[in-house]
Amino acid sequence: MLQTSTLKFLKDLKKNNNKPWFDANRKAYDAAKADFVGFIDAVIEKHGKKDPSIAHLAAKDCIFRINRDVRFSKDKSPYKTNMGAYINKDGKKGMTAGYYFHCEPGAAFGGGGLYVPPPEFLKNVRQEIDYNWKEFQKIINNKKFKAVFGDLSTEGDMKLARPPKGYEVENPAIEYLKLKSWIAMQKFSDADLTSKDLVKKVCTNFETLQPLLLFLNEGLHAGE
């Protein structure tokens, strides 16, 4: 579970997103970060028994900095109002499909997948879905996958309006071939975040996602 004080810090930060306030509340941030680190370490320890590829990781390898990169953004707020961790075999900088947990009051979620891969990876994954459509279909239509995630995300600009080059509109997999990212997400309430079952719930989420990650990662280097 996460402490209510961690959620309170993030809520307060959202209202006071500036350096003077952050500096004055550094101890509260340090406590919130330590809480999140402990939680992510617990998730890695538990799920690492199901997915040995992540068992060697520590939370510090996976957690993103709270400072925002404002160089190319109109929003100059210096801090993120969430804490996030990307967990795959290479940690947060890994290019392969992985698990993600996003802690933000009122907007928390868990899941993961492959987010905006480079063109060569994009091409390879589409090819893998096209060649192994029945296998991919079996993963995303699995009863447990449907119960946890529903379907893959099409939010924002994650999907092309037209079929990608080389694929016909009649292709049975076309709606998934149009995707530019393959992401599955499950929302978590604030009550979930502070529940004693949070690690268990997140590990169930990750275990349900694991077959999709294996499929995507096999597809990354298809055709090489």
Side-chain angles (χ1 to χ4, degrees), residues 29 41 45 84 121 195 221:
Y29 165 66
D41 275 332
E45 181 180 3
F121 284 0
S195 164
H221 303 290

Side-chain angles (χ1 to χ4, degrees), residues 40-53:
I40 294 298
D41 275 332
V43 169
I44 292 171
E45 181 180 3
K46 184 174 177 62
H47 187 59
K49 296 171 183 176
K50 297 281 187 179
D51 185 350
S53 74

Side-chain angles (χ1 to χ4, degrees), residues 83-161:
M83 292 183 176
Y86 185 55
I87 307 169
N88 78 355
K89 64 183 181 66
D90 298 315
K92 62 189 173 187
K93 295 183 179 180
M95 296 293 289
T96 55
Y99 310 97
Y100 179 73
F101 188 79
H102 182 95
C103 175
E104 181 176 4
F109 63 89
L114 188 64
Y115 181 70
V116 193
E120 65 272 21
F121 284 0
L122 192 64
K123 179 181 178 182
N124 289 348
V125 172
R126 283 177 175 151
Q127 179 178 290
E128 188 76 3
I129 293 172
D130 184 36
Y131 286 0
N132 298 289
W133 169 235
K134 288 184 178 179
E135 181 185 349
F136 183 80
Q137 198 174 28
K138 185 177 179 180
I139 292 170
I140 61 172
N141 287 333
N142 176 271
K143 187 176 181 180
K144 189 174 180 181
F145 188 94
K146 284 288 187 184
V148 173
F149 299 113
D151 202 351
L152 299 188
S153 176
T154 57
E155 292 182 2
D157 61 348
M158 286 191 184
K159 193 172 185 180
L160 296 170

Side-chain angles (χ1 to χ4, degrees), residues 61-96:
D61 304 316
C62 308
I63 293 175
F64 295 104
R65 297 173 70 242
I66 200 164
N67 301 77
R68 293 182 64 246
D69 183 351
V70 300
R71 291 174 298 174
F72 308 108
S73 175
K74 291 181 180 179
D75 178 5
K76 298 302 180 182
S77 302
Y79 306 106
K80 300 169 187 172
T81 56
N82 67 79
M83 292 183 176
Y86 185 55
I87 307 169
N88 78 355
K89 64 183 181 66
D90 298 315
K92 62 189 173 187
K93 295 183 179 180
M95 296 293 289
T96 55

Side-chain angles (χ1 to χ4, degrees), residues 194-213:
T194 55
S195 164
K196 293 180 180 179
D197 293 331
L198 180 61
V199 170
K200 181 180 179 180
K201 288 179 179 179
V202 172
C203 288
T204 296
N205 173 292
F206 286 3
E207 186 178 346
T208 305
L209 184 70
Q210 193 173 350
L212 176 65
L213 300 188

